[in-house]
Amino acid sequence: MPLAVLWNESLGSQLLRVAPNNYFARIAGAGAVYAAYHAVVALSSAALAAWFRRHLMVWKIFAPRFMFSVPVALVSMAVVLFVAIGMATARILRMGLAVSNAQALVAQKLQLATQ
């Protein structure tokens, strides 16, 4: 994934502390654009290879580009999907821990109130 989005950002930056959702949204947006770019390249290579299938240069130009662009597109989409699932899982777990901590705090307050 291109690091241009995070080039001048550190993990201790104010943006990450104040609004982590905006930080992760920038990462997800950059990943989506990156995957979409590779999908367009693979799709255009496939279309041009099909269009020029009778041309003599199809095996020199379009077929190698297609054979290279499709695996790159698949790998980039898999990486973006893996990162998105990882970020969503971390967010869900963080929310679950916050809820369980709040429930434990309420139970502790209720227990102290009844004593």
Side-chain angles (χ1 to χ4, degrees):
M1 190 178 320
L3 296 176
V5 175
L6 306 173
W7 185 254
N8 287 327
E9 302 279 342
S10 69
L11 290 178
S13 71
Q14 188 69 18
L15 178 64
L16 186 58
R17 277 183 263 138
V18 172
N21 293 338
N22 292 342
Y23 195 77
F24 293 132
R26 289 175 62 189
I27 294 171
V33 169
Y34 186 70
Y37 167 75
H38 284 294
V40 167
V41 168
L43 195 64
S44 64
S45 297
L48 289 173
W51 182 264
F52 293 118
R53 66 185 175 268
R54 303 236 183 252
H55 196 278
L56 292 175
M57 295 298 288
V58 75
W59 302 114
K60 293 278 186 183
I61 298 171
F62 299 112
R65 177 146 178 102
F66 174 69
M67 289 187 296
F68 179 71
S69 65
V70 169
V72 168
L74 292 176
V75 168
S76 67
M77 287 180 198
V79 167
V80 167
L81 184 65
F82 181 71
V83 168
I85 289 173
M87 288 189 333
T89 303
R91 187 171 180 178
I92 289 170
L93 289 176
R94 197 173 343 131
M95 289 173 63
L97 288 175
V99 168
S100 67
N101 288 341
Q103 288 174 344
L105 183 63
V106 168
Q108 184 181 15
K109 295 283 185 181
L110 288 174
Q111 187 180 24
L112 288 175
T114 59
Q115 289 179 354

